[in-house]
Amino acid sequence: MIYGGQPCDNSRDAHVTLADLPLEILLMVLSFLSLTDIVEVSLTCRQLRSITKFGGLWEALSRDHYGVISRDPNLEEIYKRVLAPYGVLLGTWIRDDYPVGGLLHVKFKAGAIVGSNWRPHPALGQPLKKTNIFRISVENHRTVIACSIDEGKIHECRIETETGTQGVAFVTECICPSLHSSSTFVKCKWIEASK
């Protein structure tokens, strides 16, 4: 027990506190909390703050909440700025208004969430064509949502999630549409492929 038997710095009574729990149990308790609640716990005392900085906590949260396996040294910040707000996008989506079809596969790769569109090749009988259309990452302690990764003209875009009676959907919208060679991905609504 790392913190067993040692009350938090600001506790003088004989009551058992969270910090008295064995580390493994405390990490399990924290894994059930929301990001907001974990931040609140970290503000209660120095010992709990140091536990919330423990990389194993963020590895467990990333794995349990989003299926992401990562040992990135910046995983706490990635979790807070990328996974918590945009982790709902991980998975496979279809375009709501695209007549030819195509799938959007959103995955976690190298510390970022990347959205890759797979659509039919113009020449029938050819493999599907892959285009990376957005990337959500952390740069200089801020969340960056980049558009048009494969066209080489990287710029910012917006992503907004919607929750309705038919489940989750999201919209990607380019801030600089003039930088695109076509209007195919300037503004798209994506719905869950399983719906």
Side-chain angles (χ1 to χ4, degrees), residues 103-107 114-118 130-134:
L103 295 173
L104 178 70
H105 183 66
V106 182
K107 65 181 180 178
V114 179
S116 302
N117 185 246
W118 294 85
K130 177 185 171 189
T131 307
N132 291 325
I133 61 170
F134 67 82

Side-chain angles (χ1 to χ4, degrees), residues 157-173:
C157 69
R158 284 189 287 269
I159 295 180
E160 295 180 19
T161 57
E162 304 170 355
T163 305
T165 56
Q166 296 179 347
V168 177
F170 71 97
V171 175
T172 55
E173 182 176 11

Side-chain angles (χ1 to χ4, degrees), residues 167-187:
V168 177
F170 71 97
V171 175
T172 55
E173 182 176 11
C174 178
I175 294 173
C176 305
S178 62
L179 295 176
H180 289 267
S181 56
S182 75
S183 62
T184 305
F185 297 113
V186 171
K187 184 172 184 178

